[in-house]
Amino acid sequence: MVNEQLIWAIFFLPLISFGLIALIIRPFFNQASAIAGPIAVLSIGASFVISILTFIERTINGTLTLVGDPINWLTIGAFKLEVGILLDPLTTTMLVVVTGVSLMVQIYSTFYMKDPGSHHGTENQGSDSEPAELGQPVYARYFAYMSLFTASMLGLVMASNVVQLFVFWELVGLCSYLLIGFWFHRPAAAAAAKKAFIVTRVGDFGFLLALMYLFSKTYQENINYLNIQTINENLPTLVSSGTLGAGALTLIAIGFFVGAIGKSGQFPLHTWLPDAMEGPTPVSALIHAATMVTAGVFLVGRFFPLFQASQDAMMVVALVGGITALFAATMGLVSNDIKRVLAYSTVSQLGYMMLALGIGAYGVAIFHLFTHAFFKALLFLGSGSVNHATGTFDMRFMGGLRKKMPITYITFLIGSLSLAGIFPLAGFWSKDEILLNAFRSGSEGGEIVSMTVFVLAIIAVFMTAFYMFRALFMTFEGEFRGGSEKDPEANPHGPVHLGESPFLMVLPMLILAIPAVIIGFIANPPGELLGIKAHWMVHTLDHSLPDSMHHLLKGESFSVPLAAVSSLVALSGIALAIAMYKPKPLISPESIGKTLRPVHTLLYRKYYFDELYEGIFVRQIYYRGLALASDWTDKNIVDRAVNIVGWTGANFGGLIRQFQNGQMQMYATVTSIGIIVIAAIFIFGD
């Protein structure tokens, strides 16, 4: 039986791991830094076990009630700020995702991070000098950051009020900065970390403004409108009473969504996410599968009743999601870095989740988040395994690894098939439900937005299948093309050692391959089978929302014809990849690149968004605008004001000194003048 103390332990165990490693082991027991890995694994492993039990009792069986009374954090008069746990099916689903993926990543990392130099410099080099701490202290620092990152994400998904949520929201951003810039001596890593931190802060500012506006509109002394459950359940009353009008609802929802755009790398705040690949590969797996990027989707899901109450906000969410799904997929078509291909894939799949939320398919969106976490983590760990053998992430210098790394190949193939949405793997079931709901929303309801996002999503299906199998063939098929020894940017540290990765790296991939195959059907079967209810997960997620919303939701459906169409589209993408990238290709990629050079250049340069932001926002608006204006204000207003205050003080002091001269007649004169002034005020004041 899971109790409140055990549920709190899900959060506190990784936090304790961080404290032990960062505050005790690393500063005082450097020689014992090797135990940092096992400590992190054991703590998150225990959290995972408790999360599974909580998921079974709360979501599957429905026997576990919400956690008890919250803890009083702050009291100001009649205002109380409380800390507690909101334990609904969304929370329990996220707990399984975060702890499960984190556990696999931590196990993988115990070997991957043991000897940073073994990765031939592609992970930790880039300059002629290495940091003084390179070695075991790096190992301890890594697991300290990862433990704090996991604890922060767990605190975010468990939060019962908006202030508590926002605190952990910001802490997740801080941890991402530390982990993306983990190899801080590399200029590229340091720049990527700053970029991620600054870009996500843009979104966070919108989120903060929306929170403040929501509280200002809803605050009542007898009702805690900082409590998330209170906000969601009382929303109809707030709307009917006029407390929240249509305009206010839209502004608040859009503000929340701006925060989600930043964290989840949605268009146009997507630019930080591909650059986040500068961090260690296990960090990329955790960020892109289960933590930071899913936080944005979680935020929209957590306040879904608020979004549902504003059709304008829902339209914005759906359109941004659909555009992002296609936009990111196009960039994945031409990238040569295997981690960046997976990064663009993550952005695209997050777009799928957002468009599902935007058309009202709440349970389906979270279902896709659930399945995506496992096969995306599998793919990132596979890319790390390939890097361990070849010393590079550039697919142009790979090839021929299928026979050398059979386990990595098979697991990467499973992940690619699942991501492409091929029957009967996990991605098939969640992706197709999104497509079906978008299609039905557009065709039955006549909604142009829904049909538009459906078209965008179906095109993205083709592209996803193509670029994933392009990556698979370039990496594993054909002849080996030299790895880091041929890659001029790899900065190799030793000879390439082709062969399967060590057991501790292979084991998590084998484990993750299982849910990548079966979890979609088990979690959301189209019909009742062996006692498993049809669509039980989507049904449970949908019915955890307020009763007033159930008639508005979409989901719990499956269409064989549409599934066949989407599968055919995905298979067409795979077929094109075979024709272009298998040994002895039927279509030359080089000739296609030359024929479509302007398009290829546009995609390869990421639509010039980095140059656009650098040229307009950084150089023109910030440097030549805000910075120059601030400099002028500092020199001409602030400095002069300070100088005037100083001059006034000095001269006024001199004036006052004239009266403090020790002459009795001067004192008598001043006193007399004062008496006359006071008398005049009393006489003529009326």
Side-chain angles (χ1 to χ4, degrees), residues 312-375:
D312 291 337
M314 293 288 283
M315 180 182 67
V316 171
V317 173
L319 281 175
V320 170
I323 292 169
T324 303
L326 180 62
F327 176 77
T330 61
M331 291 183 287
L333 299 174
V334 299
S335 180
N336 295 314
D337 187 303
I338 190 170
K339 283 177 65 177
R340 287 183 179 265
V341 172
L342 297 177
Y344 291 126
S345 167
T346 298
V347 177
S348 181
Q349 296 303 306
L350 291 168
Y352 273 104
M353 301 170 203
M354 288 297 187
L355 77 87
L357 290 167
I359 60 173
Y362 166 80
V364 174
I366 305 306
F367 174 43
H368 191 54
L369 185 155
F370 183 72
T371 61
H372 173 264
F374 297 105
F375 60 72

Side-chain angles (χ1 to χ4, degrees), residues 303-318:
F303 292 96
F304 189 72
L306 186 67
F307 283 85
Q308 187 70 62
S310 172
Q311 288 304 306
D312 291 337
M314 293 288 283
M315 180 182 67
V316 171
V317 173

